Amino acid sequence: MASERELKRQPPDLATAREMTTTILELCEGDSGGPEVSRLTSRYLDTCDQLLGRSGVGLRARGESSGQQARWTIKVGATPDVRGVAEATEIEIDGLWKEIPTILSMGLRAVGVSAELEEIARLTTVRERWMRSFASAEVEICMDSVTVEYPAQFTFFEIEVEAPERPVLDQLLDLLEAYFPDVPPSQGSKLSMALSRGESSLTASRQHATKELGVNLVRFLDAAVPLPAPWATVDSEHLA
């Protein structure tokens, strides 16, 4: 189990995204080398009535689009606050692209999620990533170009900066907001952005979410004994 703290901004266009990224890099210290670039496809799953989303839980499988392996992530608490900072708890499980890891399936059933899961969104992200230092802390800076393939088709841009402590992000935000006062804080995740142009009611229903399901699921998975074969899965051909 891991906790992450990251600030999020969704600039209106590529030029603004690059300008913001350049500014953040200039405010930081460390290696001045170029970014690490990756291209990943993400599948987001939920029940037909979006029980996970209504409970503040995100379930994602992410991997290279041409590969069979994927990293499954359960994330709780990913909605940014009024400054655009998200403090989330997540658990990652290695597995296969089209099949739910067995331990994850067991955890979902243990917290009362018995309905079949279906794909509610698919995104391809080209990520440029830098590691730098700010306020004596190591920070990860990412500029994402995100193409939504389902439930609608469009592209948006997101900047994420992850740091070990909230005060580090607040100090960086004070500077960033002075440089870019017209770029508002992000008020949602990549998933909520993808669903905002589809027919989903997930964003509107999130105000009725209960945190218990997500907290209990994270506790179950964190306490579970790792399986001998981490790729062991349950059949989910209906997710193809």
Side-chain angles (χ1 to χ4, degrees), residues 50-123:
Q50 297 175 350
L51 175 59
L52 296 179
R54 290 186 290 109
S55 302
V57 178
L59 172 57
R60 178 188 71 206
R62 173 178 283 175
E64 296 182 2
S65 57
S66 60
Q68 296 184 356
Q69 302 297 315
R71 174 158 292 179
W72 291 75
T73 302
I74 286 280
K75 186 175 290 191
V76 179
T79 302
D81 62 17
V82 293
R83 294 202 78 188
V85 175
E87 301 193 37
T89 299
E90 66 176 26
I91 288 184
E92 296 182 332
I93 303 169
D94 289 333
L96 299 178
W97 177 244
K98 292 185 178 181
E99 299 178 356
I100 306 169
T102 301
I103 191 64
L104 177 53
S105 180
M106 291 170 59
L108 290 169
R109 288 196 298 267
V111 298
V113 181
S114 57
E116 288 189 348
L117 300 179
E118 59 185 38
E119 186 172 311
I120 60 170
R122 183 178 293 225
L123 291 67

Side-chain angles (χ1 to χ4, degrees), residues 9-239:
R9 287 293 187 274
Q10 291 177 350
D13 50 53
L14 178 58
T16 305
R18 292 210 175 278
E19 185 180 359
M20 290 187 72
T21 302
T22 299
T23 299
I24 294 171
L25 291 170
E26 290 176 347
L27 292 170
C28 294
E29 299 177 345
D31 182 13
S32 59
E36 171 188 318
V37 181
S38 60
R39 180 184 179 91
L40 298 170
T41 298
S42 300
R43 303 170 62 228
Y44 291 85
L45 284 73
D46 206 334
T47 60
C48 62
D49 63 352
Q50 297 175 350
L51 175 59
L52 296 179
R54 290 186 290 109
S55 302
V57 178
L59 172 57
R60 178 188 71 206
R62 173 178 283 175
E64 296 182 2
S65 57
S66 60
Q68 296 184 356
Q69 302 297 315
R71 174 158 292 179
W72 291 75
T73 302
I74 286 280
K75 186 175 290 191
V76 179
T79 302
D81 62 17
V82 293
R83 294 202 78 188
V85 175
E87 301 193 37
T89 299
E90 66 176 26
I91 288 184
E92 296 182 332
I93 303 169
D94 289 333
L96 299 178
W97 177 244
K98 292 185 178 181
E99 299 178 356
I100 306 169
T102 301
I103 191 64
L104 177 53
S105 180
M106 291 170 59
L108 290 169
R109 288 196 298 267
V111 298
V113 181
S114 57
E116 288 189 348
L117 300 179
E118 59 185 38
E119 186 172 311
I120 60 170
R122 183 178 293 225
L123 291 67
T124 295
T125 300
V126 177
R127 165 163 289 185
E128 299 178 40
R129 174 179 176 270
W130 298 260
M131 297 301 300
R132 293 289 190 271
S133 176
F134 180 82
S136 300
E138 185 178 63
V139 296
E140 179 185 54
I141 303 159
C142 296
M143 192 194 84
D144 294 340
S145 299
V146 185
T147 300
V148 179
E149 301 172 10
Y150 176 80
Q153 294 183 342
F154 63 99
T155 298
F156 66 94
F157 306 96
E158 183 170 77
I159 294 172
E160 297 180 356
V161 181
E162 184 173 347
E165 301 293 339
R166 175 62 189 257
V168 175
L169 294 178
D170 285 332
Q171 186 175 339
L172 180 58
L173 272 171
D174 290 340
L175 297 171
L176 193 61
E177 288 169 351
Y179 283 105
F180 298 94
D182 297 329
V183 179
S186 299
Q187 293 302 307
S189 62
K190 285 183 176 68
L191 173 60
S192 63
M193 184 68 174
L195 295 177
S196 66
R197 299 193 191 181
E199 299 178 354
S200 172
S201 60
L202 174 61
T203 303
S205 65
R206 207 178 270 282
Q207 59 185 328
H208 305 297
T210 172
K211 299 293 185 183
E212 293 182 4
L213 186 149
V215 171
N216 290 336
L217 178 57
V218 166
R219 286 175 177 169
F220 177 94
L221 294 174
D222 189 47
V225 177
L227 297 178
W231 54 85
T233 57
V234 295
D235 180 44
S236 61
E237 284 299 317
H238 60 282
L239 298 178

